[in-house]
Structures are given as structure tokens and as C-alpha cells.
Amino acid sequence: MPTTPCDRSSVVDARAGEPAYRTRKKDIREANEALILAAAEKVFAMHGYQGTATGQIAVEAGLPKANLHYYFKTKAILYREVLQHILDDWMKAASTFDTCNEPREALRAYVTAKMEFSRQRPFGSRVWAREIMSGAPMLEDFLGTSLKTWVNARVRIIRRWVREGKIEPVDPHALLYMIWATTQHYADFEQQIIILNNGKALDDRGYRQRTRQVIRLVLGSVGLQS
Amino acid sequence: MPTTPCDRSSVVDARAGEPAYRTRKKDIREANEALILAAAEKVFAMHGYQGTATGQIAVEAGLPKANLHYYFKTKAILYREVLQHILDDWMKAASTFDTCNEPREALRAYVTAKMEFSRQRPFGSRVWAREIMSGAPMLEDFLGTSLKTWVNARVRIIRRWVREGKIEPVDPHALLYMIWATTQHYADFEQQIIILNNGKALDDRGYRQRTRQVIRLVLGSVGLQS
DNA sequence: GTCTATAATCTGATAGAC
DNA sequence: GTCTATCAGATTATAGAC
């Protein structure tokens, strides 16, 4: 395999006026950073921030520990970046709440997105949970600003639904927390669910059925039979 | 303060045929073990098993680290005992499911007991959650035996309620997981709830109201308006 | 950009005087 | 039963050859 800096054969998106070897180096960096971030999310999910050794992450990523510290100066910086990635995806799921003005469709879309998040990013969900159980030292800012703003807006929407008689008069916070807790449970407590399911994880079909059941329970909780 | 082994003034329940100094020693041991277990539950809840240093626990308990190792030989043994205490209380809450044969009262009693557990033992709830997120290495036995038996029995009860038309036809596992997740959320994600509540923890009155809301949502989810 | 070797610190656990 | 001192091993992070 040619590896000279001038070989541009594998450089597909070299920017104009930027030497190819720069792009190549950037590609390597991006690939390795992604590798490390994925490994870190997995190990942090398993043992938390304090309980995780950078050496474990390096092993999981298949790299020497020194390389990890080359790409991420400190464990704290790496952890913060892992959290940031999770946060981005969490907010993307959050946006589905506004799919529709009608409670039935809005709740259905939101629960579906949250269940999908739990399915696709179980490690991310657990890192989030552990961070909050540790007192949320790194998430405090986000929780108190972006999340709070989002929650306040959704609380107003739910209150409007109640006013308009579209749903039963429920406490908006209690409803949101129930949705969060229930959907995240399938990621955070996956191991418990597996053991109670005779050692087998839910397959795709089973997970889709379960998602429908969760939607049914949530809709029922506000008086909307599905 | 008299500290001679023969001073029985503070020995209130010395057993017949057992020297007083023995009882005294036993009292000291029990008191210190309780102190250490409480401190350990708190620190394990914060940082998990791997993330917790025995020194932190000693500081929290107000004892030298060596004393901790005198009462609990290893960190693993101490952790196991902490888990056992939580498990006992968890099962006590579980027993309330059988308060009544009618779904409305049974679910109300169970949700109330679980919410009470979250209120009284938030650290225990978090230790439990962290243990499961770590793959439940120490709880695997319990989950696969006692808990599974309990769940299977409750699943049968819920199925009977459905057959008898007392509740909507819901998936029993989905319902149980929703109850667990929602009630435990108030312990595990307390910090998030506080931040979203303008930095104030729910007071006793607010918590009772929230408990009623959770009961209402759960009853509604199975078609039982409260 | 990779990786071995190592410095500096922390952690679990014990020894042994009191 | 208490507590200081300490050891062996692990951990974060860096140095420096390639």
C-alpha cells in the first residue's frame, strides 16, 4: 500500500489550496479519534468516569495507551467529548416531540425516538445516567440551560393539551419523567431485562413490539387509548 | 467516661451467661459496621464500585482507613454487604404488590412503596442501578432466581387481570418495567430533577403530590382512571 | 503519527505499636 | 479496638526513540 504523503489516490475530498498530506493526516486523526470516542463511551458506560482506567479504553480501542493521550490530552477532556456526543443525539431525539401539535402523534413520535436512542446508543444512555448519579458535575450547565428551556417549552405544550381537554389533567413533569425513565430503562437496565428474558436480548422484532407497548402505556396514562 | 470492660452501666441487653465485655465489644462492632455500611452506600452510589476508593468511604464514615479494613476485610466484601442490605429493602417493597387482588389497589400500593423506597434510600437505588449498568456481576444470581420468580408470579397476576377484563390488555413486563423505571427515576436522577426544579429538591408535600401523579399515570396506562 | 519506558501519584491492604 | 506507617501494585500522564 502506498503511504507517501503525495499519494492522493485515497484522498477523496482534498480541499483546494490544501496539500494532500495535510488532509491525509487529518483523516488519520479523525478516524482514530472516532475509534477512541467509541471505545471510551463503552468503558465509561460500564464503570463510570472515576472507575474507568485510560488503559482499559486503549485496550478496547486496540491502541497503545500513549496514543490515546496523544489524541486526548487528559481523561477529563476525553470524557467531556464523549458526553458532548451523547448530548447532541439526545437533543436530536428531543426535537421529535414537536412532530405534531396533536398529543397522540407528538407523544408517539417522541417515545419512538427515545426508544430508538436506547436501542442505538445504550452506552451513551448509561454514561448519561452515571454522570447524573454522580451529581452531574459536567452536565450541570447543560441541564440548567438548554434542557431546562426545552422542558419548560414542552411543559407549556402539555398544559395547553390539558386546557384544551385533549388529554387528562396530568402533571407535565411527572409525564416527561415517566417517558424518560421508561425509555431509558431499556438501555440502562438492559442486563436485568436480558436475565429476566431467560438470558436472551430482545431481537429487533421484540423491541419493536415493546416500543408499541410503551407507546400504548404512555398514551393510556394521559387518557388516549391507542 | 468509664471504659473498663466490667462497667455494665450502658449495657442494656446483656445476654444471660455472656460476659458484659463481650456484649460491649459486639455493640461497638455493630455500631461501626452500620456506620461504615451507610458511608459505603453513599460513596458507591456516587462513584460505583470501581470508582470508589476505600479511603473515601473511611473519610465519609469519619474513621481511619485501617479501621474499615478491620471490619470489612476487602472492598469486595463491603460492597456485597451493601448490595445485600439494598436487596432486602427492595424485596420488602416488592411484597406490597400483593396488598390486594384488585389491580387498582395493588398497583397503588406497589407504586407508593417504590416511591417511598426512592425517597428513603436514594443511595441504595443508585448503587443498584450502577451495579446493573456494570453488567450485574454481583446481582446476577439474585436477578436470575429470586427476582425472576417474583416477576413471573406478578406477570401471571397481571395476565389474569387482563383476562378478567379488569385492565386493558398490556404487556406485563412492559408495565412492570415502566413502574420500576419511573419510581426509581426519582432516586437515580434526583440531581437532574432538582436542577429542573430551579435548584430546589422536592419537599415532603411536593413528593407526596408527585407520588399521586405517578399513581394516576400508572393506573391510566392500564385503563384505570383514578 | 506510533509505541516502549518511566516518572509521579494513588489505591487496596497490612503490620505493628498503642 | 484504634491508628500511624508502609508496601506492592495500579493509574495518569509524559518523554523520547523510531
Side-chain angles (χ1 to χ4, degrees), chain B residues 3 6 11 20 28 33 35 44 55 67 78 84 88 104 116 127 148 165 187 195 202 209 213 218 224:
Chain B
T3 54
C6 292
V11 178
I28 292 174
E33 283 183 354
L35 196 66
F44 282 135
N67 291 32
L78 173 55
Q84 187 60 53
D88 294 343
R104 190 185 301 271
E116 194 57 23
V127 173
K148 196 168 176 182
I195 293 174
L202 288 172
Q209 291 180 334
Q213 279 291 322
V218 169
L224 294 169

Side-chain angles (χ1 to χ4, degrees), chain A residues 130-156:
Chain A
R130 289 195 116 106
E131 167 68 11
I132 291 175
M133 288 195 289
S134 295
M138 308 273 196
L139 277 181
E140 219 166 6
D141 267 1
F142 165 77
L143 295 178
T145 56
S146 311
L147 185 62
K148 196 167 176 183
T149 304
W150 184 88
V151 167
N152 286 343
R154 272 10 85 173
V155 164
R156 277 191 293 274

